[in-house]
Amino acid sequence: MPNSQNTSPDIFQFPMVYGTWRMLDGAHSSQDINRRLNRCVELGITAIDTAEIYGGYAVEAALGDAMALSPGLHEKLRVITKSGIYVPNPKNPERTVGFYDASAAQLKKSVEASLRLMGRDRIDLFLVHRPDWFTSIDDTATGLNQLIREGKIQYAGVSNYSPTQFAALNSRMDTGLLTNQVEFHLLNMEPITDGTFDLCLQHRIRPMAWSPLAGGKLFDKNNPASARLASVATSMSAKYGDATLEQLAYAWVMGHPSRPIAVIGTNKLERIESAVQAESITLEREDWYALWVAAQGHNIP
Ligand SMILES: NC(=O)c1ccc[n+]([C@@H]2O[C@H](COP(=O)([O-])OP(=O)(O)OC[C@H]3O[C@@H](n4cnc5c(N)ncnc54)[C@H](OP(=O)(O)O)[C@@H]3O)[C@@H](O)[C@H]2O)c1
C-alpha cells in the first residue's frame, strides 16, 4: 500500500463537511443555497460534499449557480465530489438499468463535467462513489492517477468501499487514497466492526461519515433505538453544556479514534449552527459507550 496520507490534510481542518445530497429538497433558490454556503464558511465548515448523481444529476449545477453569487466564495470553499453511479432518470432516458462505472474514461468525463458545472478549476477531493465490480482496479487507478497528475483533482478517495476493496485500489495509486466515505452513525456502526476504520487507523487516513444523524431516523420516536438514545441523551445533556441529541450524535461519530469527518446534511441554517457546536464536545469513555449500549439495546459483550 502506498505511504499514508497526511493525517490532517488541509481539506479536513474542520471535522465537519457540509453535504448537499438533499440540497434541492424543498425550497432551494440559488440565494438560499448561497446563504447556507456562506454561513458554513463563517462557522468554519470550509468544505462541501456533493456528487454527480445528487438531485437527479442537478445539484452540481445548482451549486455552481449559488457559488457564483458570491465573488470569492470559490476560494473559501473546498469541494468534494463523487461520480460513478448511473441510474435511469428523465435526463438519461436511454438508460434501462442502473450501473456503476469507475473506468478511467468515465472518471475523466465526470470530473471534467463537474468542473464545468461548478465553475471550478480543480476538484479538491474526488471520490469514486461506489465500488464498480465491472472495472479493474488498474483501470480506476490509472484514471485517478492521471487526474491528479493533470491537476484536475487534488486528492482522490473512495466511498462505500469495503476494507479489501480500499486496500486493493490503494495498492495501485501513486499517492494514497485520502479517505473512504462510509455510512456511520449510532444506528449503523458497521465501520467499527467490519475493518473499515481499522484500516483507516492503520494507514492514518481519516474516514468520512455520511448520514451522521442516520438521515433523520435518529429523531423517529417510533424507532426503539432512537427512543432509547433520546432518553440517554437527555440524561447526559447537562454534563455537555445542555447538548442536544443531535450534538451528542455528532460527537459520538467524531469521537471514534479514526477521527471521522461528519458529513452533515441539514438544509436548515439553525441546525448547521447547532451542529458546529458539537466540535467542542469530547465524550467521556463511559458516555460514548452508554450511547453505544442505548443504540444496540444490549450491554457490551
Ligand atoms: N457517499 C455516499 O454514498 C453518501 C450517501 C448518503 C449521503 N452522503 C452525504 O452525506 C450527507 C449527509 O447525509 P444526510 O443528509 O443523510 O445526513 P444526516 O445529517 O444524517 O441527515 C439529515 C436529515 O436529518 C434531518 N434532521 C437533522 N436534524 C434533525 C432534527 N433535529 N430533527 C429532525 N430531523 C433532523 C434533516 O432535515 P432538515 O434538513 O429539515 O434539518 C435531513 O433531512 C449528504 O448530503 C451527502 O453529502 C453520502
Side-chain angles (χ1 to χ4, degrees), residues 48-168:
I48 56 171
D49 178 82
T50 190
E52 180 183 40
I53 191 177
Y54 287 174
Y57 303 90
V59 162
E60 287 186 322
L63 277 171
D65 293 344
M67 286 192 280
L69 295 177
S70 294
L73 187 54
H74 272 295
E75 286 70 44
K76 294 178 193 154
L77 265 185
R78 311 300 296 274
V79 170
I80 301 162
T81 193
K82 330 177 194 71
S83 81
I85 307 179
Y86 303 96
V87 294
N89 79 327
K91 278 192 175 177
N92 301 281
E94 75 290 354
R95 283 183 204 147
T96 54
V97 67
F99 58 90
Y100 301 133
D101 189 346
S103 62
Q106 182 58 50
L107 297 180
K108 176 176 158 60
K109 214 164 119 185
S110 297
V111 165
E112 285 171 357
S114 298
L115 290 170
R116 193 177 61 250
L117 291 168
M118 291 191 277
R120 305 216 21 130
D121 299 328
R122 187 182 68 172
I123 300 299
D124 299 286
L125 169 59
F126 174 73
L127 309 179
V128 180
H129 205 151
R130 284 193 175 268
D132 168 14
W133 310 302
F134 196 64
T135 294
S136 75
I137 53 171
D138 295 288
D139 192 5
T140 300
T142 297
L144 295 175
N145 287 330
Q146 179 72 19
L147 288 163
I148 293 173
R149 264 199 309 276
E150 290 171 354
K152 289 183 176 152
I153 67 175
Q154 182 182 7
Y155 299 113
V158 291
S159 181
N160 305 304
Y161 270 47
S162 72
T164 49
Q165 288 166 334
F166 184 98

Side-chain angles (χ1 to χ4, degrees), residues 250-282:
Y250 288 131
W252 187 89
V253 164
M254 298 187 294
H256 185 269
S258 62
R259 300 194 298 140
I261 305 294
V263 190
I264 70 171
T266 179
N267 275 331
K268 298 203 165 62
L269 274 179
E270 63 275 18
R271 286 187 179 155
I272 302 174
E273 287 160 1
S274 154
V276 294
Q277 291 170 30
E279 193 243 352
S280 57
I281 300 176
T282 304

Side-chain angles (χ1 to χ4, degrees), residues 191-211:
I192 60 177
T193 53
D194 71 0
T196 300
F197 285 180
D198 298 333
L199 191 69
C200 291
L201 283 163
Q202 183 183 346
H203 293 283
R204 299 190 172 86
I205 289 162
R206 289 183 79 174
M208 297 178 73
W210 59 260
S211 293

Side-chain angles (χ1 to χ4, degrees), residues 157-192:
V158 291
S159 181
N160 305 304
Y161 270 47
S162 72
T164 49
Q165 288 166 334
F166 184 98
L169 179 60
N170 205 34
S171 73
R172 302 293 201 276
M173 294 296 296
D174 295 341
T175 48
L177 295 166
L178 189 80
T179 192
N180 190 4
Q181 183 180 123
V182 293
E183 182 178 8
F184 179 56
H185 47 76
L186 278 158
L187 303 183
N188 179 45
M189 303 179 178
E190 259 179 57
I192 60 177

